Amino acid sequence: MMGKETGEGAALQGSALSSHDTTILAETFRLLGDPTRLRILFFCIARPQSVGDIAEALGLSPSLVSHHLRLLRGARLVRGERRSRQVFYAVADCHVSDMLTDMAVHIAEDQPEE
């Protein structure tokens, strides 16, 4: 139990992330800055989706979806599960889905006039 608690909170204890972790986090946010990738992630929150299903639902080409999924997988934002001859993609874990959901709620909130 102690290892899991230490592992999850270790990067945030103290005053700052390491330089390496900050660089990885910045790259992750850069990847999330693309509207197409965000649409793909939100589409994959509820359940795993195939490339063809993602492409059809979002009006994108399968090759474009595959390209974005490769980048998202590299950043550990999605995971793939092979079922027969197809791979189904889902948001990698609750950290990713919670962050996306929280940010969507945040931007939907009424903002007071300044």
Side-chain angles (χ1 to χ4, degrees):
M1 181 74 150
M2 183 178 189
K4 182 172 174 65
E5 289 173 349
T6 303
E8 287 180 6
L12 299 178
Q13 291 176 355
S15 62
L17 293 171
S18 71
S19 177
H20 176 72
D21 288 344
T22 302
T23 300
I24 292 170
L25 186 58
E27 177 63 18
T28 300
F29 280 116
R30 186 189 69 75
L31 286 170
L32 292 172
D34 183 277
T36 300
R37 286 192 280 270
L38 282 175
R39 291 175 62 214
I40 291 169
L41 284 169
F42 277 108
F43 189 71
C44 294
I45 284 180
R47 66 180 189 279
Q49 305 284 349
S50 70
V51 171
D53 291 342
I54 297 167
E56 183 178 333
L58 302 182
L60 303 168
S61 71
S63 62
L64 181 61
V65 170
S66 292
H67 168 73
H68 285 299
L69 286 168
R70 181 180 56 79
L71 296 172
L72 293 169
R73 244 181 119 163
R76 298 180 319 149
L77 295 170
V78 297
R79 58 181 165 73
E81 175 187 322
R82 182 167 293 283
R83 296 181 195 166
S84 185
R85 292 174 23 175
Q86 284 189 312
V87 178
F88 287 77
Y89 293 89
V91 172
D93 58 37
C94 65
H95 298 110
V96 176
S97 60
D98 289 351
M99 184 260 318
L100 290 169
T101 302
D102 288 347
M103 291 308 295
V105 169
H106 174 71
I107 63 157
E109 291 175 342
D110 288 336
Q111 298 296 318
E113 295 292 323
E114 292 185 27

